Amino acid sequence: MNRTYTIKDIAARVGVSPSTISRVLSNAPAANVVSEKTRKQIHAVVEELGYVPNVNASRLVKNKTNLIGVVIPGMEGTNIHSSVLVDRVFNVTLGGIESVLKNNNYRILLIFKNDKFVENKEYLRLFRENSVDGLIVWGAHLDDNYWEEAAGYNLLLINSHCERYDNLNYIGHDNVAAARAITRNLIRQGHRNIVYIGGNENISIIRERFEGYQMALAEAGVPFRPELCFSGNIGRQAVNRIAEEIAAGKLTADAIQCVSDGLALHCGYNLMNHGYRIPEDITLTGGDRIEDEYAAMTDWKFPLPTFRLNSFHMGELAAQNLLHKINGGITVPIRELLPVELVEPQTIKDKIENKALNKEKRSCPVRELIPV
Amino acid sequence: MNRTYTIKDIAARVGVSPSTISRVLSNAPAANVVSEKTRKQIHAVVEELGYVPNVNASRLVKNKTNLIGVVIPGMEGTNIHSSVLVDRVFNVTLGGIESVLKNNNYRILLIFKNDKFVENKEYLRLFRENSVDGLIVWGAHLDDNYWEEAAGYNLLLINSHCERYDNLNYIGHDNVAAARAITRNLIRQGHRNIVYIGGNENISIIRERFEGYQMALAEAGVPFRPELCFSGNIGRQAVNRIAEEIAAGKLTADAIQCVSDGLALHCGYNLMNHGYRIPEDITLTGGDRIEDEYAAMTDWKFPLPTFRLNSFHMGELAAQNLLHKINGGITVPIRELLPVELVEPQTIKDKIENKALNKEKRSCPVRELIPV
DNA sequence: GTAATTACTGCAAACGGTTGCAGGGGTAAC
DNA sequence: GTTACCCCTGCAACCGTTTGCAGTAATTAC
């Protein structure tokens, strides 16, 4: 681990000034092109000594880090429809972000957010201390406070957003359309007693899916009955209780729309234990289908209509837009919803006259990927 | 977004020199304590203006970033026993790393590694350009080359290691003991035709589990029969074929030891489709149990003996040791194996006289957590 | 009262690049 | 030959902290 070289060492060896080295290595701004000859010599010496510029010096003087902070919820508090499913969705999104960043010579600073992150406005500190050029924040809550100063910075919410600060940049999925399509198909199949199992309504994607459900009911003229709907912190116990109520005849249901596949699986498990056949006796639906053995297992046990996010693309779009904004290319708030894709198992598909979602996307068209 | 203040602004307002501000904010080294009075004034002004030191200036002069790079495999190429399961294990490990780092005022630089990462020695560049103080590398391969220069740096392999560079720091699980215990229990239950389904033997944890299997056989005097063992890139097709061979009587098996739960699930699925009952007709075992609906689903379909890693702790230990090393507290190569915990479903547990793993840990005792 | 400590604080030189400006040398135009 | 211009390179200031050293004032010792 020999001492590391500085730009001056290179300059001394080549016999030019440090400025010239700098200009060669950072691809001189048009005005000052270094001659081909010196350029070659410099590259040779750089190669020979294995010289690498000190990023901190560069960051200091350029006031630019080429770092994007990705903020994610801490590990505490996983529940029935978080954990594995969320891990997957998150990691795929991260992959999308990274794929764009690496092409633009950016790196990821990973930041775990705890309860106090928003309240203490730690996002501000990250910008002020020059830790990052931009911030992608995963897991905003609808009732979050303290984001008011965020609008002036290169900060973008992803996956879930915050209602009261609608001038914040946001990239997510069209959850309303997703749930609406699921409900609509259930109605087309003749179901009228559609139980809805949601979750924490303080998270925009949960709330939006519930809205989609209600919207579809309204559109079909099916009365909305709150007594069929469950929300809040839905866990194993809650699901068990709902299944028991159904089995005991206290709750009439010919279909159950669950906010996610994980929830649907547990629900199905409980119902089957009570002797129900799926989908013959009762139809289940889910959400957030992921492509692997987990999905395979779902289909293994019973057919489960669900929808598929495009998380990778969500990550790409987020990174792309943020970089574009950092470079001054976007001055208005960014706000885009990606369409989701409906997934219908064959057995159920047969029951439906025609599927609709992909034809009538409610979301704005996805902006072209902008190379930055 | 008003202009950001520098240490000089604070100095000017308080009427002292920048040095004094610096000394107050970075908790002066014993010799130069600043008087309580100035200290108070400074804190007041800092508070008032919302001043935050520029990390890049600090990093430059201190030659220290308080950043740990966490290197993970890129997103390309998931297979049957990667994806969701791996996501979870990885995210939990990351949580462990972060929990230690945040207490020591470190942050995580997330680095996706591609094919060329090792070959191009990009880890060296990260150190040379002063991007990180240390590196935690996930996903080393047994036959990796180009790590020879890593030993001189604060670099630590996690989860899987690299055979030929045994002077590299490494924190992982005791996979040999894990698989050995599983096999031993199968033998105790009277099984002799134990099929083994592994994976890419170029990954140390896969290879070690296979070694554990062979070790247990040898200890019990059961002959090792290579024709019962499968390795390489095991996917859905491979699992299907094995199940078919068993069903067709070409392969005699009264138990199948799978390297992971994901693999075991698919295997079980195929066998049940061929009319086998589990565990009555054939016993299956897995690995890498995770705590959530995924696990629940496994038990739902059939009892699956498996083992549980302590990934969170693995992450903690890695971070702890690395920090300790960075601070000069450790000079020898770090090398620790965490014990795994055997998980026995009750139905199968009844068949076994006594379980053994937790009593005879092969690994060294886990070092105390060292606050850095 | 003088000398010796001690307790603070300031000066100024780093850290390692970047960049506006100016200057030198060469070529072309006249 | 003089002037104008362009291409290339160097000078030196700057980015915002940190820290060794020195200096001053206050305190203590005698």
Side-chain angles (χ1 to χ4, degrees):
Chain A
M1 194 154 55
N2 17 20
R3 83 173 258 279
T4 61
Y5 296 100
T6 76
I7 211 170
K8 287 174 195 157
D9 297 318
I10 311 297
R13 300 235 181 179
V14 181
V16 294
S17 78
S19 342
T20 303
I21 309 293
S22 172
R23 284 195 258 258
V24 168
L25 295 184
S26 49
N27 292 316
N32 325 23
V33 247
V34 176
S35 74
E36 191 59 28
K37 193 173 130 231
T38 352
R39 186 182 294 275
K40 281 239 175 77
Q41 287 178 33
I42 291 174
H43 277 132
V45 175
V46 163
E47 197 68 25
E48 180 199 349
L49 301 186
Y51 166 76
V52 186
N54 182 320
V55 292
N56 298 314
S58 167
R59 285 172 185 168
L60 174 58
V61 58
K62 296 177 85 168
N63 204 30
K64 183 145 194 315
T65 60
N66 278 42
L67 247 33
I68 297 293
V70 176
V71 180
I72 61 174
M75 305 296 294
E76 73 279 353
T78 51
N79 62 29
I80 198 173
H81 45 83
S82 66
S83 61
V84 140
L85 237 155
V86 169
D87 282 340
R88 182 60 179 172
V89 172
F90 175 71
N91 281 5
V92 170
T93 307
L94 200 56
I97 294 174
E98 197 267 347
S99 75
V100 169
L101 292 191
K102 78 153 173 274
N103 290 334
N104 291 279
N105 195 31
Y106 269 78
R107 294 213 140 106
I108 294 176
L109 190 70
L110 193 65
I111 296 151
F112 284 66
K113 110 177 150 181
N114 55 27
D115 315 337
K116 298 292 185 187
F117 183 85
V118 185
E119 187 177 334
N120 292 347
K121 299 186 184 168
E122 289 180 31
Y123 59 90
L124 275 185
R125 161 174 273 266
L126 287 163
F127 284 108
R128 295 218 173 114
E129 73 182 15
N130 272 274
S131 268
V132 296
D133 293 341
L135 226 41
I136 295 178
V137 180
W138 176 285
H141 290 251
L142 275 176
D143 71 349
D144 273 348
N145 271 309
Y146 311 105
W147 281 116
E148 65 272 7
E149 295 177 70
Y153 292 89
N154 294 315
L155 183 149
L156 184 149
L157 303 182
I158 191 171
N159 194 53
S160 69
H161 71 279
C162 185
E163 212 158 38
R164 85 184 65 175
Y165 302 106
D166 58 1
N167 57 341
L168 290 186
N169 308 298
Y170 170 59
I171 302 270
H173 279 102
D174 191 345
N175 289 286
V176 176
R180 178 162 158 250
I182 294 273
T183 311
R184 189 157 45 193
N185 277 346
L186 285 175
I187 295 172
R188 283 197 187 135
Q189 292 165 50
H191 301 299
R192 289 298 175 271
N193 299 303
I194 308 175
V195 164
Y196 187 87
I197 309 185
N200 180 353
E201 298 254 334
N202 193 17
I203 297 168
S204 64
I205 62 172
I206 304 281
R207 166 104 46 105
E208 287 160 4
R209 289 178 191 183
F210 191 33
E211 284 169 13
Y213 162 80
Q214 296 177 54
M215 198 180 290
L217 290 183
E219 285 162 359
V222 178
F224 168 61
R225 289 185 289 151
E227 70 272 20
L228 295 186
C229 301
F230 301 88
S231 69
N233 186 17
I234 307 277
R236 294 216 166 94
Q237 312 78 354
V239 173
N240 293 355
R241 230 187 33 242
I242 297 170
E244 274 165 23
E245 281 193 22
I246 292 174
K250 290 186 198 162
L251 189 61
T252 310
D254 41 36
I256 305 180
Q257 180 168 351
C258 299
V259 78
S260 73
D261 283 10
L263 207 51
L265 272 172
H266 273 282
C267 207
Y269 173 49
N270 278 295
L271 286 169
M272 290 172 99
N273 278 350
H274 282 103
Y276 283 82
R277 291 166 306 159
I278 302 169
E280 293 83 358
D281 300 329
I282 193 163
T283 300
L284 284 185
T285 70
D288 297 338
R289 169 58 50 97
I290 48 182
E291 299 308 319
D292 72 341
E293 68 268 31
Y294 192 88
M297 262 188 309
T298 311
D299 285 338
W300 170 14
K301 200 64 190 182
F302 52 77
L304 183 70
T306 181
F307 53 85
R308 187 181 284 133
L309 309 178
N310 195 344
S311 305
F312 192 87
H313 191 216
M314 179 170 72
E316 287 181 317
L317 267 189
Q320 228 127 28
N321 277 288
L322 190 56
L323 289 187
H324 205 195
K325 183 148 203 150
I326 287 173
N327 294 327
I330 307 182
T331 50
V332 297
I334 298 161
R335 188 150 284 251
E336 282 190 42
L337 297 184
L338 304 191
V340 305
E341 181 192 350
L342 216 55
V343 179
E344 284 290 345
Q346 195 57 42
T347 46
I348 292 199
K349 209 181 292 177
D350 297 341
K351 292 197 197 172
I352 313 177
E353 297 79 19
N354 60 332
K355 39 185 281 214
L357 183 73
N358 282 331
K359 287 180 216 147
E360 2 169 339
K361 288 170 186 161
R362 178 176 151 278
S363 65
C364 13
V366 174
R367 193 187 302 169
E368 279 300 301
L369 304 189
I370 311 147
V372 181
Chain B
M1 193 153 57
N2 17 21
R3 81 173 261 280
T4 61
Y5 297 100
T6 75
I7 211 170
K8 287 176 193 158
D9 297 318
I10 311 298
R13 301 236 180 176
V14 182
V16 294
S17 76
S19 341
T20 303
I21 310 293
S22 172
R23 285 195 259 259
V24 168
L25 295 184
S26 51
N27 291 317
N32 322 23
V33 247
V34 176
S35 75
E36 192 57 29
K37 193 174 130 232
T38 4
R39 186 181 295 273
K40 281 239 175 78
Q41 288 179 33
I42 290 173
H43 276 130
V45 175
V46 163
E47 197 68 24
E48 181 200 346
L49 301 185
Y51 165 76
V52 186
N54 182 319
V55 293
N56 298 314
S58 167
R59 285 172 184 167
L60 174 59
V61 56
K62 295 177 85 167
N63 203 30
K64 184 145 193 316
T65 60
N66 278 44
L67 246 33
I68 296 293
V70 175
V71 180
I72 62 174
M75 304 297 295
E76 73 278 353
T78 52
N79 61 28
I80 198 172
H81 44 83
S82 67
S83 65
V84 140
L85 237 154
V86 169
D87 281 339
R88 183 59 178 174
V89 171
F90 175 71
N91 281 6
V92 170
T93 307
L94 200 56
I97 293 174
E98 196 267 346
S99 75
V100 170
L101 292 190
K102 79 154 173 272
N103 289 335
N104 291 279
N105 195 31
Y106 268 78
R107 293 213 141 107
I108 294 175
L109 189 71
L110 193 64
I111 295 151
F112 285 66
K113 109 178 150 179
N114 55 26
D115 315 337
K116 299 291 185 185
F117 183 86
V118 185
E119 188 176 334
N120 292 347
K121 299 187 184 167
E122 288 180 31
Y123 59 90
L124 275 186
R125 161 175 272 267
L126 287 164
F127 283 109
R128 294 220 174 113
E129 72 181 15
N130 272 272
S131 268
V132 296
D133 293 341
L135 227 41
I136 296 178
V137 180
W138 176 285
H141 290 251
L142 276 175
D143 70 350
D144 273 348
N145 273 308
Y146 311 105
W147 281 117
E148 65 272 6
E149 295 177 68
Y153 291 89
N154 293 316
L155 182 149
L156 185 148
L157 303 182
I158 191 170
N159 195 52
S160 68
H161 69 279
C162 185
E163 213 157 38
R164 86 184 64 174
Y165 302 105
D166 57 2
N167 58 340
L168 290 187
N169 306 299
Y170 171 58
I171 302 271
H173 278 102
D174 192 345
N175 289 286
V176 176
R180 177 162 158 250
I182 294 274
T183 311
R184 189 157 48 194
N185 277 347
L186 286 175
I187 295 172
R188 282 196 188 136
Q189 291 165 50
H191 301 299
R192 289 298 174 271
N193 300 304
I194 308 175
V195 164
Y196 187 87
I197 309 185
N200 180 354
E201 299 254 335
N202 193 17
I203 296 168
S204 65
I205 62 172
I206 305 280
R207 165 104 46 107
E208 286 161 4
R209 289 179 191 182
F210 191 33
E211 284 169 14
Y213 162 80
Q214 296 178 55
M215 199 180 290
L217 290 183
E219 284 163 0
V222 178
F224 168 62
R225 289 184 290 151
E227 70 271 21
L228 295 186
C229 301
F230 301 87
S231 68
N233 185 18
I234 306 276
R236 295 216 166 94
Q237 311 78 353
V239 172
N240 293 355
R241 227 186 37 240
I242 297 170
E244 275 166 22
E245 282 194 22
I246 292 174
K250 290 188 198 158
L251 189 62
T252 310
D254 42 36
I256 305 180
Q257 181 167 350
C258 299
V259 78
S260 73
D261 282 10
L263 208 51
L265 273 173
H266 273 280
C267 207
Y269 173 49
N270 277 296
L271 287 169
M272 290 172 98
N273 278 350
H274 282 104
Y276 282 83
R277 291 167 306 158
I278 303 169
E280 294 82 358
D281 301 328
I282 193 164
T283 300
L284 285 186
T285 71
D288 299 337
R289 169 57 50 96
I290 49 181
E291 299 308 319
D292 71 342
E293 69 267 31
Y294 192 89
M297 263 189 307
T298 312
D299 285 339
W300 171 13
K301 199 64 191 180
F302 52 79
L304 182 70
T306 180
F307 53 86
R308 186 181 285 131
L309 308 178
N310 195 343
S311 304
F312 192 87
H313 192 218
M314 179 169 74
E316 287 181 317
L317 269 188
Q320 228 127 28
N321 277 288
L322 190 57
L323 290 186
H324 204 195
K325 183 146 204 153
I326 287 172
N327 294 326
I330 307 181
T331 50
V332 297
I334 298 161
R335 188 149 283 252
E336 282 190 43
L337 296 184
L338 304 192
V340 305
E341 182 193 349
L342 216 54
V343 180
E344 283 290 346
Q346 196 57 42
T347 46
I348 293 199
K349 211 182 289 175
D350 297 342
K351 292 197 198 172
I352 314 175
E353 298 78 20
N354 60 334
K355 39 185 280 215
L357 183 75
N358 281 332
K359 289 180 213 147
E360 4 169 338
K361 289 171 187 161
R362 178 174 151 279
S363 64
C364 11
V366 174
R367 194 186 301 169
E368 279 300 302
L369 303 190
I370 310 147
V372 180

